mmCIF file of all heavy atoms in Angstrom:
data_model
loop_
_atom_site.group_PDB
_atom_site.id
_atom_site.type_symbol
_atom_site.label_atom_id
_atom_site.label_comp_id
_atom_site.label_asym_id
_atom_site.label_seq_id
_atom_site.Cartn_x
_atom_site.Cartn_y
_atom_site.Cartn_z
ATOM 1 N N GLU I 1017 12.954 -5.335 -0.221
ATOM 2 C CA GLU I 1017 12.332 -4.267 -0.998
ATOM 3 C C GLU I 1017 11.314 -3.483 -0.172
ATOM 4 O O GLU I 1017 10.644 -2.601 -0.699
ATOM 5 C CB GLU I 1017 11.665 -4.840 -2.253
ATOM 6 C CG GLU I 1017 12.661 -5.484 -3.206
ATOM 7 C CD GLU I 1017 12.015 -5.959 -4.490
ATOM 8 O OE1 GLU I 1017 10.768 -5.874 -4.583
ATOM 9 O OE2 GLU I 1017 12.741 -6.414 -5.382
ATOM 10 N N THR I 1018 11.189 -3.826 1.101
ATOM 11 C CA THR I 1018 10.281 -3.105 2.004
ATOM 12 C C THR I 1018 11.049 -2.652 3.238
ATOM 13 O O THR I 1018 12.150 -3.135 3.521
ATOM 14 C CB THR I 1018 9.103 -3.997 2.428
ATOM 15 O OG1 THR I 1018 9.613 -5.203 3.012
ATOM 16 C CG2 THR I 1018 8.224 -4.354 1.231
ATOM 17 N N ALA I 1019 10.449 -1.713 3.958
ATOM 18 C CA ALA I 1019 11.086 -1.161 5.155
ATOM 19 C C ALA I 1019 9.992 -0.674 6.098
ATOM 20 O O ALA I 1019 8.800 -0.794 5.805
ATOM 21 C CB ALA I 1019 12.027 -0.012 4.780
ATOM 22 N N VAL I 1020 10.409 -0.125 7.244
ATOM 23 C CA VAL I 1020 9.473 0.476 8.193
ATOM 24 C C VAL I 1020 9.597 1.990 8.082
ATOM 25 O O VAL I 1020 10.671 2.553 8.334
ATOM 26 C CB VAL I 1020 9.761 0.027 9.637
ATOM 27 C CG1 VAL I 1020 8.876 0.787 10.622
ATOM 28 C CG2 VAL I 1020 9.536 -1.469 9.779
ATOM 29 N N ARG I 1021 8.508 2.632 7.703
ATOM 30 C CA ARG I 1021 8.501 4.099 7.653
ATOM 31 C C ARG I 1021 8.096 4.639 9.013
ATOM 32 O O ARG I 1021 7.080 4.226 9.578
ATOM 33 C CB ARG I 1021 7.539 4.619 6.591
ATOM 34 C CG ARG I 1021 7.594 6.135 6.417
ATOM 35 C CD ARG I 1021 6.596 6.628 5.382
ATOM 36 N NE ARG I 1021 6.761 8.034 5.108
ATOM 37 C CZ ARG I 1021 6.260 9.018 5.872
ATOM 38 N NH1 ARG I 1021 5.550 8.716 6.953
ATOM 39 N NH2 ARG I 1021 6.465 10.286 5.571
ATOM 40 N N VAL I 1022 8.871 5.558 9.557
ATOM 41 C CA VAL I 1022 8.609 6.130 10.873
ATOM 42 C C VAL I 1022 7.472 7.140 10.748
ATOM 43 O O VAL I 1022 7.604 8.177 10.076
ATOM 44 C CB VAL I 1022 9.870 6.800 11.445
ATOM 45 C CG1 VAL I 1022 9.565 7.437 12.799
ATOM 46 C CG2 VAL I 1022 11.004 5.787 11.571
ATOM 47 N N ALA I 1023 6.346 6.834 11.397
ATOM 48 C CA ALA I 1023 5.186 7.731 11.358
ATOM 49 C C ALA I 1023 5.279 8.810 12.428
ATOM 50 O O ALA I 1023 4.814 9.930 12.229
ATOM 51 C CB ALA I 1023 3.895 6.931 11.528
ATOM 52 N N SER I 1024 5.867 8.488 13.581
ATOM 53 C CA SER I 1024 6.040 9.471 14.646
ATOM 54 C C SER I 1024 7.140 9.007 15.577
ATOM 55 O O SER I 1024 7.435 7.804 15.659
ATOM 56 C CB SER I 1024 4.734 9.673 15.432
ATOM 57 O OG SER I 1024 4.339 8.482 16.084
ATOM 58 N N VAL I 1025 7.760 9.961 16.262
ATOM 59 C CA VAL I 1025 8.834 9.677 17.207
ATOM 60 C C VAL I 1025 8.464 10.308 18.539
ATOM 61 O O VAL I 1025 8.160 11.503 18.612
ATOM 62 C CB VAL I 1025 10.183 10.243 16.724
ATOM 63 C CG1 VAL I 1025 11.297 9.905 17.716
ATOM 64 C CG2 VAL I 1025 10.522 9.713 15.332
ATOM 65 N N GLU I 1026 8.447 9.508 19.602
ATOM 66 C CA GLU I 1026 8.097 10.026 20.916
ATOM 67 C C GLU I 1026 9.230 10.880 21.468
ATOM 68 O O GLU I 1026 10.411 10.556 21.314
ATOM 69 C CB GLU I 1026 7.792 8.866 21.871
ATOM 70 C CG GLU I 1026 6.580 8.055 21.473
ATOM 71 C CD GLU I 1026 6.250 6.969 22.487
ATOM 72 O OE1 GLU I 1026 6.673 7.109 23.648
ATOM 73 O OE2 GLU I 1026 5.582 5.999 22.111
ATOM 74 N N ALA I 1027 8.853 11.974 22.107
ATOM 75 C CA ALA I 1027 9.831 12.904 22.667
ATOM 76 C C ALA I 1027 10.689 12.204 23.720
ATOM 77 O O ALA I 1027 10.184 11.396 24.516
ATOM 78 C CB ALA I 1027 9.125 14.108 23.282
ATOM 79 N N ASN I 1028 11.974 12.496 23.711
ATOM 80 C CA ASN I 1028 12.939 11.970 24.696
ATOM 81 C C ASN I 1028 13.058 10.454 24.678
ATOM 82 O O ASN I 1028 13.542 9.860 25.639
ATOM 83 C CB ASN I 1028 12.587 12.440 26.116
ATOM 84 C CG ASN I 1028 12.610 13.953 26.245
ATOM 85 O OD1 ASN I 1028 13.528 14.596 25.735
ATOM 86 N ND2 ASN I 1028 11.600 14.508 26.890
ATOM 87 N N SER I 1029 12.608 9.823 23.610
ATOM 88 C CA SER I 1029 12.740 8.372 23.484
ATOM 89 C C SER I 1029 14.131 8.046 22.950
ATOM 90 O O SER I 1029 14.860 8.930 22.464
ATOM 91 C CB SER I 1029 11.682 7.837 22.524
ATOM 92 O OG SER I 1029 11.913 8.333 21.206
ATOM 93 N N PRO I 1030 14.540 6.768 23.031
ATOM 94 C CA PRO I 1030 15.843 6.394 22.458
ATOM 95 C C PRO I 1030 15.970 6.777 20.989
ATOM 96 O O PRO I 1030 17.048 7.207 20.555
ATOM 97 C CB PRO I 1030 15.877 4.877 22.649
ATOM 98 C CG PRO I 1030 15.037 4.639 23.869
ATOM 99 C CD PRO I 1030 13.928 5.642 23.774
ATOM 100 N N ALA I 1031 14.893 6.628 20.219
ATOM 101 C CA ALA I 1031 14.954 6.998 18.805
ATOM 102 C C ALA I 1031 15.165 8.499 18.638
ATOM 103 O O ALA I 1031 15.972 8.942 17.811
ATOM 104 C CB ALA I 1031 13.682 6.558 18.093
ATOM 105 N N ALA I 1032 14.428 9.300 19.416
ATOM 106 C CA ALA I 1032 14.573 10.749 19.338
ATOM 107 C C ALA I 1032 15.976 11.183 19.745
ATOM 108 O O ALA I 1032 16.601 12.026 19.087
ATOM 109 C CB ALA I 1032 13.530 11.424 20.214
ATOM 110 N N LEU I 1033 16.499 10.611 20.819
ATOM 111 C CA LEU I 1033 17.839 10.973 21.292
ATOM 112 C C LEU I 1033 18.912 10.530 20.301
ATOM 113 O O LEU I 1033 19.992 11.145 20.234
ATOM 114 C CB LEU I 1033 18.096 10.345 22.665
ATOM 115 C CG LEU I 1033 17.182 10.834 23.805
ATOM 116 C CD1 LEU I 1033 17.447 10.043 25.083
ATOM 117 C CD2 LEU I 1033 17.379 12.335 24.050
ATOM 118 N N GLY I 1034 18.613 9.493 19.532
ATOM 119 C CA GLY I 1034 19.572 9.015 18.541
ATOM 120 C C GLY I 1034 19.489 9.732 17.212
ATOM 121 O O GLY I 1034 20.306 9.474 16.326
ATOM 122 N N GLY I 1035 18.481 10.610 17.049
ATOM 123 C CA GLY I 1035 18.383 11.394 15.825
ATOM 124 C C GLY I 1035 17.424 10.868 14.789
ATOM 125 O O GLY I 1035 17.376 11.376 13.663
ATOM 126 N N VAL I 1036 16.615 9.850 15.111
ATOM 127 C CA VAL I 1036 15.618 9.339 14.173
ATOM 128 C C VAL I 1036 14.508 10.373 13.996
ATOM 129 O O VAL I 1036 14.073 11.006 14.960
ATOM 130 C CB VAL I 1036 15.029 7.998 14.664
ATOM 131 C CG1 VAL I 1036 13.949 7.495 13.707
ATOM 132 C CG2 VAL I 1036 16.122 6.957 14.805
ATOM 133 N N ARG I 1037 14.045 10.546 12.766
ATOM 134 C CA ARG I 1037 13.036 11.554 12.458
ATOM 135 C C ARG I 1037 11.812 10.914 11.788
ATOM 136 O O ARG I 1037 11.914 9.841 11.178
ATOM 137 C CB ARG I 1037 13.600 12.621 11.519
ATOM 138 C CG ARG I 1037 14.799 13.388 12.047
ATOM 139 C CD ARG I 1037 15.285 14.349 10.980
ATOM 140 N NE ARG I 1037 16.532 15.009 11.358
ATOM 141 C CZ ARG I 1037 17.235 15.788 10.538
ATOM 142 N NH1 ARG I 1037 16.799 15.973 9.285
ATOM 143 N NH2 ARG I 1037 18.354 16.338 10.953
ATOM 144 N N GLU I 1038 10.702 11.617 11.895
ATOM 145 C CA GLU I 1038 9.501 11.197 11.180
ATOM 146 C C GLU I 1038 9.786 11.169 9.685
ATOM 147 O O GLU I 1038 10.401 12.092 9.136
ATOM 148 C CB GLU I 1038 8.354 12.150 11.485
ATOM 149 C CG GLU I 1038 7.041 11.791 10.820
ATOM 150 C CD GLU I 1038 5.929 12.761 11.168
ATOM 151 O OE1 GLU I 1038 6.001 13.372 12.261
ATOM 152 O OE2 GLU I 1038 4.993 12.905 10.358
ATOM 153 N N GLY I 1039 9.350 10.116 9.009
ATOM 154 C CA GLY I 1039 9.587 9.962 7.576
ATOM 155 C C GLY I 1039 10.784 9.103 7.241
ATOM 156 O O GLY I 1039 10.925 8.650 6.098
ATOM 157 N N ASP I 1040 11.673 8.864 8.211
ATOM 158 C CA ASP I 1040 12.796 7.954 7.978
ATOM 159 C C ASP I 1040 12.271 6.543 7.683
ATOM 160 O O ASP I 1040 11.228 6.139 8.195
ATOM 161 C CB ASP I 1040 13.710 7.895 9.203
ATOM 162 C CG ASP I 1040 14.522 9.168 9.396
ATOM 163 O OD1 ASP I 1040 14.592 9.974 8.446
ATOM 164 O OD2 ASP I 1040 15.084 9.361 10.495
ATOM 165 N N GLN I 1041 13.029 5.807 6.879
ATOM 166 C CA GLN I 1041 12.644 4.443 6.526
ATOM 167 C C GLN I 1041 13.729 3.485 7.026
ATOM 168 O O GLN I 1041 14.845 3.486 6.519
ATOM 169 C CB GLN I 1041 12.450 4.318 5.014
ATOM 170 C CG GLN I 1041 11.337 5.243 4.514
ATOM 171 C CD GLN I 1041 11.201 5.218 2.998
ATOM 172 O OE1 GLN I 1041 10.369 4.489 2.471
ATOM 173 N NE2 GLN I 1041 11.999 6.001 2.309
ATOM 174 N N ILE I 1042 13.374 2.698 8.034
ATOM 175 C CA ILE I 1042 14.344 1.825 8.702
ATOM 176 C C ILE I 1042 14.535 0.551 7.878
ATOM 177 O O ILE I 1042 13.573 -0.139 7.550
ATOM 178 C CB ILE I 1042 13.866 1.474 10.119
ATOM 179 C CG1 ILE I 1042 13.717 2.760 10.955
ATOM 180 C CG2 ILE I 1042 14.832 0.508 10.794
ATOM 181 C CD1 ILE I 1042 13.041 2.536 12.288
ATOM 182 N N VAL I 1043 15.815 0.246 7.561
ATOM 183 C CA VAL I 1043 16.118 -0.930 6.744
ATOM 184 C C VAL I 1043 16.966 -1.959 7.488
ATOM 185 O O VAL I 1043 17.020 -3.122 7.082
ATOM 186 C CB VAL I 1043 16.813 -0.523 5.427
ATOM 187 C CG1 VAL I 1043 15.875 0.303 4.557
ATOM 188 C CG2 VAL I 1043 18.112 0.241 5.686
ATOM 189 N N ARG I 1044 17.645 -1.542 8.575
ATOM 190 C CA ARG I 1044 18.428 -2.482 9.369
ATOM 191 C C ARG I 1044 18.424 -2.077 10.830
ATOM 192 O O ARG I 1044 18.398 -0.883 11.150
ATOM 193 C CB ARG I 1044 19.891 -2.561 8.893
ATOM 194 C CG ARG I 1044 20.134 -3.321 7.613
ATOM 195 C CD ARG I 1044 21.624 -3.530 7.386
ATOM 196 N NE ARG I 1044 21.893 -4.200 6.106
ATOM 197 C CZ ARG I 1044 22.080 -3.561 4.962
ATOM 198 N NH1 ARG I 1044 22.035 -2.233 4.948
ATOM 199 N NH2 ARG I 1044 22.316 -4.236 3.855
ATOM 200 N N LEU I 1045 18.475 -3.053 11.701
ATOM 201 C CA LEU I 1045 18.716 -2.847 13.125
ATOM 202 C C LEU I 1045 19.925 -3.694 13.476
ATOM 203 O O LEU I 1045 19.855 -4.925 13.432
ATOM 204 C CB LEU I 1045 17.511 -3.254 13.965
ATOM 205 C CG LEU I 1045 17.617 -2.965 15.458
ATOM 206 C CD1 LEU I 1045 17.584 -1.461 15.722
ATOM 207 C CD2 LEU I 1045 16.500 -3.644 16.234
ATOM 208 N N GLY I 1046 21.050 -3.046 13.788
ATOM 209 C CA GLY I 1046 22.289 -3.778 13.892
ATOM 210 C C GLY I 1046 22.641 -4.336 12.525
ATOM 211 O O GLY I 1046 22.634 -3.615 11.529
#
């Protein structure tokens, strides 16, 4: 019932290159 809310994404990072945005809520990794 909880997740990780993305507060910021570093430029040119793996998350940024993969399309992750500020405000996204991560519920699974793999």
Side-chain angles (χ1 to χ4, degrees):
E1017 297 184 355
T1018 56
V1020 174
R1021 185 182 187 279
V1022 178
S1024 63
V1025 181
E1026 296 184 22
N1028 299 316
S1029 65
L1033 296 175
V1036 178
R1037 300 177 187 173
E1038 181 179 333
D1040 288 345
Q1041 299 175 96
I1042 299 171
V1043 295
R1044 285 190 183 90
L1045 185 69

